[in-house]
Amino acid sequence: MTNLRTLHFYATPEHDCSYLQDREAKTLFVDPQAIIAKDTYSQLSDLGFRRSGRHIYRPHCNDCQACISVRIPSTEFQPSRSQKRVLSKNSDIKIRVVTPQFNQEYYELYSRYISSRHADGDMYPPSAEQFNSFLVDGDQESCFIEMRGPDNSLMAIAVTDYLENGLSAIYTFYDPDDTRRSLGTFAILAQIRHACHIGLPYVYLGYWVRECRKMSYKIAFRPSELLLDGHWVTIK
């Protein structure tokens, strides 16, 4: 089994940044052939790595440190007034934790979400192959946190990895036509509750970029911790 000392890493050539216009980015990948145990994956997450399908990566840009890893201490989290309103608006949602899988209901929601919210991105157009490679395939312990309305309609799914010390929020997709419920925020709140329920101290939210408005929601959960110069720093 591979550990941090024996892992090999590979850097990509420079490419267009996904977050900031007119910027070039580089990405550092863990050897995709390596077998990554849960403890090693957890250590990598503490160092700012993320997972996408079978790939574990982090930004590795030459002259930019804009991407900052964020995690929420689940047991210390205190919802804001607006987050309490989101919880209240969604008190009728039923939550179920299931094994990652492809089915037509999940895929149709995913396809609608990508087509409505990310038609200008590199995930468009959606496909069943993309769904499987991005959200189902992978060597890590993972789950789908399924959220259904009172009529049993599928509202949202949060794709989540289990770490030794927390949950890693991989991706969330939800009904793009329902703007009242703030389903993206509710999905994070649901993951925080799940972490508390199973006794895990953190929820890792991925990268926050100050200059990217789409990322601003990630530091609306307080307290949060930011990975700065290799150390997790609390912001309240």
Side-chain angles (χ1 to χ4, degrees), residues 69-125:
S69 294
V70 181
R71 70 183 185 186
I72 303 167
S74 57
T75 57
E76 299 173 32
F77 169 71
Q78 295 293 327
S80 65
R81 287 184 180 179
S82 64
Q83 289 161 353
K84 287 178 181 178
R85 288 195 294 270
V86 171
L87 289 170
S88 178
K89 284 188 291 188
N90 291 286
S91 60
D92 58 346
I93 281 187
K94 294 173 285 187
I95 296 177
R96 188 171 67 125
V97 179
V98 301
T99 302
Q101 59 193 276
F102 177 92
N103 65 42
Q104 196 60 34
E105 183 186 32
Y106 291 171
Y107 176 67
E108 286 177 2
L109 180 63
Y110 172 81
S111 181
R112 286 176 54 216
Y113 176 77
I114 296 295
S115 298
S116 175
R117 298 298 180 93
H118 297 288
D120 59 345
D122 55 11
M123 295 175 67
Y124 183 84

Coordinates of all heavy atoms in Angstrom, one line a residue, residues 69-125:
S69 N -7.6 26.1 0.5 CA -8.5 25.0 1.0 C -9.3 25.5 2.3 O -8.7 26.2 3.1 CB -7.6 23.8 1.4 OG -7.1 23.2 0.2
V70 N -10.5 25.0 2.3 CA -11.4 25.4 3.4 C -12.0 24.1 4.1 O -12.4 23.2 3.4 CB -12.6 26.3 2.9 CG1 -13.5 26.7 4.0 CG2 -12.1 27.5 2.2
R71 N -12.1 24.1 5.4 CA -12.8 23.1 6.1 C -13.6 23.7 7.2 O -13.3 24.8 7.8 CB -11.9 22.0 6.6 CG -11.0 22.4 7.7 CD -10.0 21.3 8.1 NE -9.2 21.6 9.3 CZ -8.2 20.8 9.7 NH1 -7.9 19.7 9.1 NH2 -7.5 21.2 10.8
I72 N -14.7 23.0 7.6 CA -15.5 23.5 8.7 C -15.4 22.5 9.9 O -15.6 21.3 9.7 CB -17.0 23.5 8.2 CG1 -17.2 24.4 7.0 CG2 -17.9 24.0 9.4 CD1 -18.5 24.2 6.3
P73 N -15.1 23.0 11.1 CA -15.1 22.2 12.3 C -16.6 21.9 12.6 O -17.3 22.8 13.1 CB -14.5 23.1 13.3 CG -13.9 24.2 12.6 CD -14.7 24.4 11.4
S74 N -17.0 20.7 12.4 CA -18.4 20.3 12.4 C -19.1 20.5 13.7 O -20.2 21.0 13.8 CB -18.7 18.9 11.9 OG -17.9 18.0 12.7
T75 N -18.4 20.2 14.8 CA -19.0 20.3 16.1 C -19.0 21.7 16.7 O -19.8 22.0 17.6 CB -18.3 19.4 17.1 OG1 -16.9 19.7 17.2 CG2 -18.4 17.9 16.7
E76 N -18.2 22.6 16.1 CA -18.1 24.0 16.5 C -19.0 24.9 15.7 O -19.2 26.1 16.0 CB -16.7 24.5 16.5 CG -15.7 23.7 17.4 CD -14.3 24.1 17.2 OE1 -14.0 25.3 16.8 OE2 -13.4 23.3 17.3
F77 N -19.5 24.4 14.6 CA -20.2 25.2 13.6 C -21.5 25.8 14.3 O -22.2 25.1 14.9 CB -20.6 24.4 12.4 CG -21.6 25.1 11.5 CD1 -21.2 26.2 10.7 CD2 -22.9 24.6 11.4 CE1 -22.1 26.8 9.9 CE2 -23.8 25.2 10.6 CZ -23.4 26.3 9.8
Q78 N -21.7 27.1 14.0 CA -22.9 27.7 14.5 C -23.6 28.4 13.3 O -23.1 29.3 12.7 CB -22.6 28.8 15.5 CG -22.0 28.3 16.8 CD -23.0 27.4 17.6 OE1 -24.2 27.7 17.6 NE2 -22.5 26.4 18.3
P79 N -24.8 27.9 12.9 CA -25.5 28.5 11.7 C -25.8 30.0 11.9 O -26.2 30.4 13.0 CB -26.7 27.6 11.5 CG -27.0 27.0 12.9 CD -25.6 26.9 13.5
S80 N -25.6 30.7 10.8 CA -26.0 32.1 10.8 C -27.5 32.2 10.8 O -28.2 31.2 10.6 CB -25.4 32.8 9.7 OG -25.9 32.3 8.4
R81 N -28.0 33.5 10.8 CA -29.5 33.7 10.7 C -30.0 33.2 9.4 O -31.0 32.5 9.3 CB -29.8 35.2 10.9 CG -29.7 35.7 12.3 CD -30.1 37.1 12.4 NE -30.0 37.7 13.7 CZ -30.3 38.9 14.1 NH1 -30.7 39.7 13.1 NH2 -30.2 39.3 15.3
S82 N -29.2 33.5 8.3 CA -29.7 33.1 7.0 C -29.6 31.6 6.8 O -30.5 30.9 6.2 CB -28.9 33.8 5.9 OG -27.5 33.4 5.9
Q83 N -28.6 30.9 7.4 CA -28.5 29.5 7.4 C -29.6 28.8 8.2 O -30.1 27.7 7.8 CB -27.1 29.0 7.8 CG -26.0 29.4 6.8 CD -24.6 29.4 7.4 OE1 -24.4 29.3 8.6 NE2 -23.6 29.6 6.5
K84 N -30.0 29.4 9.3 CA -31.1 28.9 10.1 C -32.4 29.0 9.3 O -33.3 28.1 9.3 CB -31.3 29.7 11.4 CG -30.2 29.4 12.4 CD -30.4 30.2 13.7 CE -29.3 29.9 14.7 NZ -29.5 30.8 15.9
R85 N -32.6 30.0 8.5 CA -33.7 30.2 7.6 C -33.7 29.1 6.5 O -34.8 28.5 6.2 CB -33.8 31.5 6.9 CG -34.2 32.7 7.9 CD -34.6 33.9 7.2 NE -33.4 34.5 6.5 CZ -32.6 35.4 7.0 NH1 -32.8 35.8 8.2 NH2 -31.6 35.9 6.2
V86 N -32.5 28.7 6.0 CA -32.4 27.7 5.0 C -32.8 26.3 5.7 O -33.6 25.5 5.1 CB -31.0 27.6 4.5 CG1 -30.8 26.3 3.6 CG2 -30.7 28.8 3.6
L87 N -32.4 26.1 6.9 CA -32.8 24.9 7.6 C -34.3 24.8 7.8 O -34.9 23.7 7.6 CB -32.0 24.8 8.9 CG -30.5 24.5 8.9 CD1 -29.9 24.7 10.2 CD2 -30.3 23.1 8.3
S88 N -34.9 25.9 8.1 CA -36.3 26.0 8.3 C -37.1 25.7 7.1 O -38.0 24.9 7.0 CB -36.7 27.3 8.9 OG -38.1 27.4 9.1
K89 N -36.6 26.3 6.0 CA -37.3 26.2 4.7 C -37.2 24.7 4.2 O -38.1 24.3 3.4 CB -36.7 27.1 3.6 CG -37.1 28.5 3.8 CD -36.7 29.4 2.6 CE -35.2 29.6 2.6 NZ -34.7 30.5 1.5
N90 N -36.2 24.0 4.6 CA -36.0 22.6 4.2 C -36.3 21.6 5.2 O -35.9 20.4 5.1 CB -34.6 22.5 3.6 CG -34.4 23.3 2.4 OD1 -34.8 22.9 1.3 ND2 -33.6 24.4 2.5
S91 N -37.1 22.0 6.2 CA -37.4 21.0 7.3 C -38.2 19.8 6.8 O -38.3 18.8 7.5 CB -38.1 21.7 8.5 OG -39.3 22.3 8.0
D92 N -38.8 20.0 5.7 CA -39.7 18.9 5.1 C -38.9 18.0 4.2 O -39.5 17.0 3.7 CB -40.9 19.5 4.4 CG -40.4 20.4 3.2 OD1 -39.3 20.8 3.2 OD2 -41.3 20.7 2.4
I93 N -37.6 18.2 4.0 CA -36.8 17.4 3.2 C -36.4 16.1 3.9 O -35.9 16.2 5.1 CB -35.6 18.1 2.6 CG1 -36.0 19.0 1.4 CG2 -34.5 17.2 2.1 CD1 -34.9 19.7 0.7
K94 N -36.5 15.0 3.2 CA -36.0 13.7 3.8 C -34.6 13.4 3.3 O -34.4 13.5 2.1 CB -37.0 12.6 3.4 CG -38.4 12.8 4.0 CD -39.4 11.8 3.5 CE -39.8 12.1 2.1 NZ -40.9 11.3 1.6
I95 N -33.7 13.0 4.2 CA -32.3 12.8 3.8 C -32.0 11.3 4.0 O -32.4 10.7 5.0 CB -31.4 13.7 4.7 CG1 -31.6 15.1 4.4 CG2 -29.9 13.3 4.4 CD1 -30.8 16.1 5.2
R96 N -31.3 10.8 3.0 CA -30.9 9.4 3.1 C -29.5 9.2 2.5 O -29.2 9.9 1.5 CB -31.9 8.5 2.2 CG -31.7 7.0 2.4 CD -32.8 6.3 1.7 NE -32.8 6.4 0.2 CZ -32.8 5.4 -0.6 NH1 -32.8 4.2 -0.2 NH2 -32.8 5.7 -1.9
V97 N -28.7 8.4 3.2 CA -27.3 8.2 2.7 C -27.3 6.9 2.0 O -27.6 5.8 2.6 CB -26.3 8.2 4.0 CG1 -24.9 7.9 3.5 CG2 -26.4 9.5 4.7
V98 N -26.8 6.9 0.7 CA -26.8 5.7 -0.1 C -25.5 5.5 -0.8 O -24.6 6.4 -0.8 CB -27.9 5.8 -1.2 CG1 -29.3 6.0 -0.6 CG2 -27.6 7.0 -2.2
T99 N -25.3 4.3 -1.3 CA -24.0 4.0 -2.0 C -24.0 4.8 -3.3 O -25.0 4.9 -4.0 CB -24.0 2.5 -2.3 OG1 -24.0 1.8 -1.0 CG2 -22.7 2.1 -3.0
P100 N -22.8 5.3 -3.7 CA -22.7 6.0 -5.0 C -23.1 5.0 -6.2 O -22.7 3.8 -6.2 CB -21.2 6.3 -5.1 CG -20.8 6.5 -3.7 CD -21.6 5.4 -3.0
Q101 N -23.9 5.5 -7.1 CA -24.5 4.6 -8.1 C -25.0 5.5 -9.2 O -25.4 6.7 -9.0 CB -25.6 3.8 -7.6 CG -26.8 4.5 -7.0 CD -27.7 3.7 -6.1 OE1 -28.6 3.1 -6.7 NE2 -27.5 3.7 -4.8
F102 N -25.2 4.9 -10.4 CA -25.8 5.5 -11.5 C -27.2 5.0 -11.6 O -27.5 3.8 -11.6 CB -25.1 5.2 -12.8 CG -25.8 5.8 -14.1 CD1 -25.5 7.1 -14.5 CD2 -26.8 5.1 -14.7 CE1 -26.1 7.6 -15.6 CE2 -27.5 5.6 -15.8 CZ -27.1 6.9 -16.3
N103 N -28.2 5.9 -11.7 CA -29.6 5.5 -12.1 C -30.1 6.7 -12.9 O -29.6 7.8 -12.9 CB -30.4 5.0 -11.0 CG -30.8 6.1 -10.0 OD1 -31.0 7.2 -10.3 ND2 -30.7 5.8 -8.7
Q104 N -31.2 6.4 -13.6 CA -31.8 7.4 -14.5 C -32.3 8.6 -13.7 O -32.1 9.8 -14.2 CB -32.9 6.8 -15.3 CG -33.3 7.6 -16.6 CD -32.1 7.8 -17.5 OE1 -31.3 6.9 -17.7 NE2 -32.0 8.9 -18.2
E105 N -32.8 8.4 -12.6 CA -33.3 9.6 -11.8 C -32.2 10.5 -11.4 O -32.3 11.7 -11.5 CB -34.1 9.1 -10.5 CG -34.7 10.2 -9.7 CD -35.3 9.7 -8.4 OE1 -34.8 8.7 -7.9 OE2 -36.3 10.3 -8.0
Y106 N -31.1 9.9 -10.9 CA -29.9 10.7 -10.5 C -29.4 11.4 -11.7 O -29.0 12.6 -11.6 CB -28.9 9.8 -9.9 CG -29.2 9.2 -8.5 CD1 -28.3 8.3 -8.0 CD2 -30.3 9.6 -7.8 CE1 -28.6 7.7 -6.7 CE2 -30.6 9.0 -6.6 CZ -29.7 8.1 -6.0 OH -30.0 7.5 -4.8
Y107 N -29.2 10.7 -12.8 CA -28.6 11.3 -14.0 C -29.4 12.4 -14.6 O -28.9 13.4 -15.0 CB -28.3 10.2 -15.0 CG -27.8 10.9 -16.3 CD1 -26.5 11.4 -16.3 CD2 -28.5 10.9 -17.5 CE1 -26.0 12.1 -17.4 CE2 -28.0 11.6 -18.6 CZ -26.8 12.1 -18.6 OH -26.3 12.7 -19.7
E108 N -30.7 12.3 -14.6 CA -31.6 13.3 -15.1 C -31.5 14.6 -14.3 O -31.4 15.7 -14.9 CB -33.0 12.9 -15.2 CG -33.3 11.8 -16.3 CD -34.7 11.3 -16.3 OE1 -35.5 11.8 -15.4 OE2 -35.1 10.5 -17.1
L109 N -31.4 14.5 -13.0 CA -31.2 15.7 -12.1 C -29.8 16.3 -12.4 O -29.7 17.5 -12.6 CB -31.3 15.3 -10.7 CG -31.2 16.5 -9.7 CD1 -32.2 17.6 -9.9 CD2 -31.2 16.0 -8.2
Y110 N -28.8 15.5 -12.5 CA -27.4 15.9 -12.8 C -27.4 16.6 -14.1 O -26.8 17.7 -14.3 CB -26.5 14.7 -12.8 CG -25.1 15.0 -13.3 CD1 -24.1 15.6 -12.4 CD2 -24.7 14.7 -14.5 CE1 -22.8 15.8 -12.8 CE2 -23.4 14.9 -15.0 CZ -22.5 15.5 -14.1 OH -21.2 15.7 -14.5
S111 N -28.0 16.1 -15.1 CA -28.0 16.6 -16.5 C -28.7 18.0 -16.5 O -28.2 18.9 -17.1 CB -28.7 15.7 -17.5 OG -28.7 16.2 -18.8
R112 N -29.8 18.1 -15.8 CA -30.5 19.4 -15.8 C -29.7 20.4 -15.0 O -29.7 21.6 -15.5 CB -31.9 19.2 -15.0 CG -33.0 18.5 -15.8 CD -34.2 18.3 -14.9 NE -34.6 19.5 -14.3 CZ -35.1 19.7 -13.1 NH1 -35.2 18.6 -12.3 NH2 -35.5 20.8 -12.7
Y113 N -29.0 20.0 -14.0 CA -28.2 20.9 -13.2 C -27.0 21.5 -14.1 O -26.8 22.7 -14.1 CB -27.7 20.3 -12.0 CG -26.8 21.1 -11.1 CD1 -27.2 22.1 -10.3 CD2 -25.4 20.9 -11.2 CE1 -26.4 22.9 -9.6 CE2 -24.5 21.7 -10.5 CZ -25.0 22.7 -9.7 OH -24.2 23.5 -8.9
I114 N -26.3 20.6 -14.7 CA -25.2 21.0 -15.5 C -25.6 21.9 -16.7 O -25.0 22.9 -16.9 CB -24.4 19.8 -16.1 CG1 -23.8 19.0 -14.9 CG2 -23.3 20.2 -17.1 CD1 -22.7 19.7 -14.1
S115 N -26.7 21.5 -17.3 CA -27.2 22.2 -18.5 C -27.7 23.6 -18.1 O -27.6 24.6 -18.9 CB -28.3 21.5 -19.2 OG -27.8 20.2 -19.7
S116 N -28.2 23.8 -16.9 CA -28.8 25.0 -16.5 C -27.7 25.9 -15.8 O -27.7 27.1 -16.1 CB -29.9 24.8 -15.5 OG -30.4 26.0 -14.9
R117 N -26.9 25.3 -15.0 CA -25.9 26.2 -14.2 C -24.5 26.2 -14.7 O -23.7 27.1 -14.3 CB -25.9 25.6 -12.7 CG -27.2 25.7 -12.0 CD -27.7 27.1 -11.9 NE -29.0 27.2 -11.2 CZ -29.1 27.4 -9.8 NH1 -28.1 27.5 -9.1 NH2 -30.3 27.4 -9.3
H118 N -24.1 25.2 -15.6 CA -22.7 25.2 -16.0 C -22.6 24.9 -17.5 O -21.7 24.3 -17.9 CB -22.0 24.1 -15.2 CG -21.9 24.3 -13.7 ND1 -21.2 25.3 -13.2 CD2 -22.6 23.8 -12.7 CE1 -21.3 25.3 -11.9 NE2 -22.2 24.4 -11.6
A119 N -23.5 25.5 -18.3 CA -23.5 25.3 -19.7 C -22.3 26.0 -20.4 O -21.9 25.7 -21.5 CB -24.8 25.9 -20.3
D120 N -21.6 26.9 -19.6 CA -20.5 27.6 -20.1 C -19.2 27.0 -19.6 O -18.1 27.5 -19.9 CB -20.5 29.1 -19.7 CG -20.5 29.3 -18.2 OD1 -20.8 28.3 -17.5 OD2 -20.3 30.4 -17.7
G121 N -19.3 25.8 -19.0 CA -18.1 25.2 -18.4 C -17.6 24.0 -19.1 O -18.3 23.5 -20.1
D122 N -16.5 23.4 -18.7 CA -16.0 22.2 -19.4 C -16.7 20.9 -19.0 O -16.4 19.9 -19.5 CB -14.5 22.1 -19.1 CG -14.2 22.0 -17.6 OD1 -15.1 21.9 -16.8 OD2 -13.0 22.1 -17.2
M123 N -17.7 21.0 -18.1 CA -18.5 19.8 -17.8 C -19.8 19.7 -18.8 O -20.5 18.7 -18.7 CB -19.0 19.8 -16.4 CG -17.8 19.7 -15.4 SD -18.4 19.9 -13.7 CE -19.3 18.4 -13.5
Y124 N -20.0 20.7 -19.6 CA -21.1 20.7 -20.5 C -20.6 20.2 -21.9 O -19.5 20.6 -22.4 CB -21.7 22.1 -20.7 CG -22.9 22.2 -21.6 CD1 -24.1 21.8 -21.1 CD2 -22.7 22.5 -22.9 CE1 -25.2 21.9 -21.9 CE2 -23.8 22.5 -23.8 CZ -25.1 22.2 -23.3 OH -26.2 22.3 -24.1
P125 N -21.3 19.4 -22.6 CA -22.6 18.8 -22.2 C -22.4 17.6 -21.3 O -21.4 16.9 -21.4 CB -23.2 18.4 -23.6 CG -22.0 18.0 -24.4 CD -21.0 19.0 -24.0

